[in-house]
Amino acid sequence: MRYYVTTPIYYVNARPHLGHAYTTIVNDVLTRFHRLAGYETYFLTGTDEHGDKIVQAAAKAQVTPLNYVDRISALFKAAWPNLSVTNDDFIRTTELRHKEVVARFMDLVNRKGEIYFGEYGGYYCFGCERFYTEKELADGLCPDHLTQPQFISEKNYFFRMGNYQDWLIDYITKNPDLIRPEGYRSEVLGFLREPLEDLCISRPKSRLTWGIDLPFDNNFVTYVWFDALINYISALGWPDGEKYSKFWPVAEHTIAKDILKPHAIFWPTMLKAAGEPVYRHLNVHGYWRIGQSKMSKTVGNVVEALSMAEKYGSDPFRYFLMREMNFGLDSEFSEDRLVERYNADLANDLGNLWQRSVAMIQKFNQGLIPVPPPAADDGEWFLRLDNLKSSYEQAFLNVNPRAALTSVWELISFLNKSIDAEAPWILARDPGKKDRLLTVLARLAQGLSYIGALIWPVMPQTGSDIWSRLGLNAHEMTLDWRPIFSSFDPTLVISPGATFFPRVETETAKTRQPQGSPDGTPAKTPEGLITADLINIEDFQKVKLKLANILTAEKVKGSDKLIKLTCALETDGIPEERTIVAGIGKYYEPDELVGQTVVICANLKPAKLMGLKSQGMILAASSDGRMSLLSPSRPVPLGARIS
Ligand code: MSP
C-alpha cells in the first residue's frame, strides 16, 4: 500500500500565505492519515522559479533572479516545519535534477513527433503566464487578474495537444474519480467540448531567458507550465528512479481550482505523449476568501499564514482550516471564526473531555488507567468505534477532512454526554455499581486514546500528547482501535498534563461565548492572547521534586553518557532507595557524585535506558558543553518539601 501526494510548486514571486499553507497542510493531513492506515507514503512540495513574473519581481527587488529565487524559496521551505508539515522532498525548478528531466522529457516528446515549430498570435496575461483566446477573456480582460492582456505574435514551439482531445475525454469518462470532487470533473469535460488547441511550449530567448533551454533549440526556453508540471516526476527521478516506479503509479495531486486546466488537460496529455501513465487522482479545492476576494498575492489582501498559526498554535490553526473548508468549495477566512471554533470544538469539547475524564480517573481509580471489568458489555461500544473507523477512513479516502473530523467530534460529544448520563460520582457511592463505574472510566480512557490517534493527522502535537499522557507510544498509532486498547498498561498512572486548549478570550469571543471556562480560570495576558505556555500553580504542583542523596554511582557498560545511581530519598518520613540512570557521564566521574545531595523529579514515569529501569530524573543546568547538577545551597533534611 503506497501513497504519493503533491502540492502545486508555488511561485516565488510572493511570500508563503494562507492559500499555500492550506494546500500544503491538506496534503500533510492526507499523508499522515495514510501513514496511520499503514501506507508507505511520499509527500512532495516545492517552488516554481522560472518565468516572466520572477524576472519582474527580482528586478523590483533589485537583485538577480537567482538571488531572488534562493531567498523566497527558502522562506517556503522554512515555513512548513512550523506548521508541522512533514514533506519528504522539496523540489525547486532551478535545480539541476529537475532541469535534466525537463530536457529529457521534451526531447522524448519531440522525437515522437509531438512538437512542431509554428507562428502564434494571442492575448498574453503576464499574471497567468499564458495566452488567452478572445473568447476566454471577460470584456477583454483576463478573467483571473482583471488586467488587459497584451497581444503578442511570435514564432514558437507547440505541443500537439489537440491530438489528444478524444483520448482525454475517453480517459476522464472511464475514470470517474480521476478529477474530484465531481464539479471539477464536469468543468473539465465542459472545457473539452470546445476544440482543444495545441499548446505553445516555448518562449524565444529574445523575450525570456529565465527558463530551461529547449534540448533541441537553445534559442528558446520552455514555457512555464511544461517546465513546472514535470516537477511531479523529476522529484521521483523519472524515468528510471526506484522512487518513480514505486510512487508514480499511486500519484495524487492537490491543487486549487485556479490551476485546474493545466493539471487536468495539459499534464495528462503530456504524460500520454511521453508514454507515461496518468496520475491517479487530481484533488481540487476552492479558494479561501477574505471579504469577497480570493486571497492571492496578485489581488492583494495577503494573510500571512504563520501569523495566525503562531498566535493560536499550529494544531488549532490546522484544525480550523480542515474543519472549516468543505473540500472543493470556497470558504471565508476570519480570525473571529477561528476563535469561535477554537473555543467551541477544542476548548469546550475536546479539552473538557480530557479534563473531566482524567479528574474522574484520578478520583475514582487512583489515577490508574482503568481496565474494563470482564463483565463489561462492550458490543455497542465496539460497534460505535467500528462505525467511526469506517466513516473516518472513507472520509479521508474521499479527500474530505472535514467529514473525518466531524465523525471524531461525534465520539467526543458522545463521551461528554455519557459522563453526564452515567454520573460516575453517583456510581462511586454504591459498591454494587463498581463494575459499571470501571466500565465508564475505561471507555473514557479508550475513547481518548482512539481520539488521540484519529486527530493526529490534523493535530499531530495534541494527538501525540494525549498518547504520552496515557502512557502509550505515539509511534504505535494505528487506525484500528483494537491493538491500541490492548496496549494499555493498567499499572500506569495517567499524567493529567497542562490544559490542552485554554480558552481564547477576545472581545468578540467574550460577548459570543458568555459561559465560563470549563476548566477553571484560563491564563491570559492583558492583550487577550492565549498563553498556552503558562501553567498555573496546580500544574506546577503535579511535578514532585525531591532531594536525593547519591549512595552509589557507576558508569553504565557500553555507554559513555549514562551513569547508574542509587539514591536515598524520603517521603513523609519513610526512607526509600531508587535507581536513576542519568545522562551525565560526559560531565561527571562516578566518584565525585557519591555523597552529593541533588534535586530529582520523583514522579516521572519510569523509563528503560540500556536495559536499566530509571525511576526519576536528576535536575541539571547545562550550556555550551558544561553541566552542573542542581543542589540545595544550604543543608536541609532529605524529606524537605520543594516548592
Ligand atoms: N506555480 C504554479 C503552480 C505550478 S504546479 C505544477 C502556481 N503557483 S501559485 O503560487 O500561484 O500557487 C497556486 C496554488 O496556491 C493554488 O492552486 C492553491 O494550491 C494555493 N492557493 C493560493 N491562493 C489560494 C487561496 N486563496 N485559497 C486556496 N488556495 C490557494 O500556480
Side-chain angles (χ1 to χ4, degrees):
M1 291 202 302
R2 294 199 177 109
Y3 178 73
Y4 170 46
V5 75
T6 68
T7 70
I9 43 171
Y10 303 114
Y11 286 132
V12 289
N13 58 345
R15 295 162 66 90
H17 62 68
L18 177 66
H20 307 128
Y22 174 74
T23 317
T24 312
I25 290 172
V26 167
N27 276 4
D28 188 62
V29 168
L30 292 170
T31 304
R32 285 175 186 267
F33 158 77
H34 281 88
R35 275 193 232 146
L36 203 60
Y39 286 68
E40 186 183 358
T41 61
Y42 203 75
F43 166 16
L44 173 71
T45 186
T47 42
D48 188 354
E49 307 187 3
H50 291 127
D52 300 308
K53 280 204 252 186
I54 308 299
V55 178
Q56 285 161 8
K60 214 167 145 197
Q62 297 185 316
V63 290
T64 63
L66 187 61
N67 217 293
Y68 182 81
V69 297
D70 280 351
R71 213 162 70 189
I72 310 284
S73 175
L75 291 179
F76 276 91
K77 202 169 183 174
W80 305 143
N82 292 334
L83 294 167
S84 309
V85 166
T86 50
N87 49 301
D88 294 285
D89 196 359
F90 187 99
I91 187 137
R92 301 181 54 186
T93 53
T94 48
E95 284 174 288
L96 187 62
R97 62 168 171 158
H98 173 72
K99 294 200 259 190
E100 280 175 355
V101 169
V102 171
R104 195 163 169 181
F105 190 96
M106 293 192 102
D107 193 47
L108 174 72
V109 176
N110 187 41
R111 275 188 286 110
K112 292 193 172 188
E114 296 301 286
I115 289 176
Y116 64 91
F117 195 56
E119 179 136 24
Y120 183 76
Y123 296 93
Y124 191 75
C125 170
F126 280 87
C128 303
E129 305 219 26
R130 62 170 275 218
F131 282 107
Y132 278 93
T133 60
E134 223 159 315
K135 241 170 122 185
E136 284 178 301
L137 299 176
D139 294 331
L141 302 179
C142 159
D144 205 17
H145 294 87
L146 303 180
T147 50
Q148 191 154 21
Q150 215 173 312
F151 190 85
I152 293 180
S153 172
E154 65 192 13
K155 285 208 155 182
N156 262 313
Y157 285 91
F158 289 82
F159 164 51
R160 298 187 193 279
M161 190 162 73
N163 283 355
Y164 295 89
Q165 178 158 15
D166 292 341
W167 166 80
L168 186 57
I169 294 173
D170 189 52
Y171 194 84
I172 297 176
T173 313
K174 286 194 178 129
N175 293 278
D177 62 353
L178 181 75
I179 302 165
R180 55 191 186 176
E182 170 62 30
Y184 294 108
R185 174 175 179 267
S186 325
E187 197 174 321
V188 172
L189 287 171
F191 296 146
L192 289 169
R193 264 181 231 120
E194 300 290 318
L196 185 62
E197 291 183 8
D198 289 343
L199 182 68
C200 178
I201 59 162
S202 69
R203 295 288 174 269
K205 276 198 185 160
S206 54
R207 192 151 73 75
L208 176 75
T209 49
W210 189 240
I212 301 173
D213 281 2
L214 293 190
F216 40 84
D217 186 344
N218 61 12
N219 291 315
F220 288 82
V221 293
T222 48
Y223 160 66
V224 275
W225 279 107
F226 223 83
D227 162 6
L229 289 161
I230 291 174
N231 91 86
Y232 299 135
I233 56 172
S234 68
L236 296 181
W238 178 84
D240 31 36
E242 190 206 330
K243 271 190 257 161
Y244 183 72
S245 53
K246 260 171 100 170
F247 290 110
W248 184 248
V250 293
E252 304 202 4
H253 304 307
T254 309
I255 58 166
K257 59 188 181 182
D258 53 342
I259 48 178
L260 177 61
K261 212 166 172 178
H263 283 82
I265 297 181
F266 304 175
W267 184 220
T269 56
M270 284 164 65
L271 286 164
K272 177 73 182 159
E276 295 295 337
V278 176
Y279 51 77
R280 221 183 227 190
H281 298 295
L282 181 63
N283 308 314
V284 190
H285 63 78
Y287 290 149
W288 281 98
R289 296 176 182 279
I290 289 191
Q292 275 319 295
S293 86
K294 171 196 164 197
M295 282 177 310
S296 97
K297 61 253 159 194
T298 30
V299 181
N301 201 7
V302 173
V303 170
E304 293 282 336
L306 291 183
S307 74
M308 291 291 128
E310 267 168 41
K311 188 165 175 185
Y312 297 101
S314 157
D315 271 14
F317 179 70
R318 289 169 62 112
Y319 173 78
F320 173 72
L321 296 185
M322 295 305 111
R323 183 79 194 247
E324 190 72 6
M325 182 171 257
N326 208 337
F327 196 89
L329 305 179
D330 290 356
S331 267
E332 180 78 20
F333 184 90
S334 85
E335 189 174 351
D336 273 0
R337 186 82 191 114
L338 191 156
V339 170
E340 256 175 52
R341 277 225 176 267
Y342 176 103
N343 281 338
D345 303 357
L346 300 181
N348 266 2
D349 295 345
L350 178 57
N352 225 3
L353 176 63
W354 173 263
Q355 208 82 15
R356 298 170 80 196
S357 306
V358 171
M360 279 178 299
I361 291 171
Q362 283 180 314
K363 199 156 177 193
F364 305 124
N365 204 44
Q366 297 87 49
L368 291 168
I369 304 283
V371 182
D377 174 15
D378 281 329
E380 240 177 75
W381 169 235
F382 290 166
L383 185 65
R384 174 178 292 276
L385 297 173
D386 278 336
N387 287 340
L388 166 59
K389 176 177 180 278
S390 66
S391 54
Y392 174 93
E393 201 169 8
Q394 219 34 58
F396 269 130
L397 292 174
N398 292 329
V399 196
N400 193 342
R402 180 190 201 164
L405 286 171
T406 306
S407 60
V408 178
W409 254 253
E410 276 164 16
L411 179 64
I412 294 176
S413 127
F414 167 78
L415 290 173
N416 266 326
K417 282 192 196 129
S418 81
I419 297 179
D420 301 328
E422 301 271 1
W425 48 94
I426 296 178
L427 295 176
R429 282 191 220 137
D430 181 349
K433 302 252 169 76
K434 180 124 200 279
D435 270 6
R436 186 67 204 158
L437 175 66
L438 266 184
T439 306
V440 173
L441 297 184
R443 276 182 199 166
L444 291 174
Q446 291 176 334
L448 280 164
S449 69
Y450 198 35
I451 290 164
L454 298 186
I455 62 170
W456 177 80
V458 175
M459 295 197 285
Q461 290 165 20
T462 312
S464 306
D465 224 9
I466 290 182
W467 269 50
S468 71
R469 291 181 193 196
L470 291 171
L472 298 169
N473 182 352
H475 296 293
E476 288 166 11
M477 275 186 186
T478 105
L479 210 54
D480 193 357
W481 49 268
R482 284 179 181 81
I484 304 179
F485 294 0
S486 55
S487 64
F488 271 124
D489 178 350
T491 65
L492 272 186
V493 169
I494 255 180
S495 132
T499 304
F500 268 118
F501 301 103
R503 279 180 72 84
V504 177
E505 302 293 336
T506 61
E507 282 314 308
T508 33
K510 258 189 225 156
T511 46
R512 274 187 213 159
Q513 308 260 338
Q515 77 264 44
S517 155
D519 40 54
T521 331
K524 72 180 166 115
T525 64
E527 300 84 51
L529 302 182
I530 51 163
T531 52
D533 285 339
L534 299 183
I535 58 169
N536 49 34
I537 187 75
E538 286 79 8
D539 290 325
F540 175 72
Q541 280 165 349
K542 283 171 200 149
V543 183
K544 298 273 179 284
L545 296 177
K546 286 188 173 293
L547 294 179
N549 190 257
I550 300 178
L551 302 174
T552 67
E554 58 180 288
K555 288 222 173 217
V556 172
K557 263 198 215 114
S559 162
D560 57 350
K561 261 175 62 186
L562 297 181
I563 295 192
K564 180 185 164 201
L565 307 161
T566 329
C567 302
L569 44 146
E570 223 178 57
T571 311
D572 301 327
I574 304 166
E576 185 195 339
E577 246 179 59
R578 280 194 190 194
T579 304
I580 294 182
V581 182
I584 54 176
K586 286 197 173 153
Y587 309 95
Y588 284 94
E589 282 307 315
D591 282 348
E592 57 177 319
L593 291 167
V594 176
Q596 289 210 37
T597 299
V598 291
V599 183
I600 68 160
C601 172
N603 63 337
L604 200 64
K605 237 171 45 189
K608 271 210 165 155
L609 299 166
M610 303 279 290
L612 297 169
K613 192 170 178 191
S614 178
Q615 302 164 289
M617 184 178 76
I618 297 209
L619 269 55
S622 56
S623 161
D624 288 336
R626 286 188 297 167
M627 178 187 267
S628 171
L629 296 180
L630 302 187
S631 57
S633 61
R634 286 190 187 140
V636 269
L638 263 194
R641 191 164 57 91
I642 301 185
S643 54

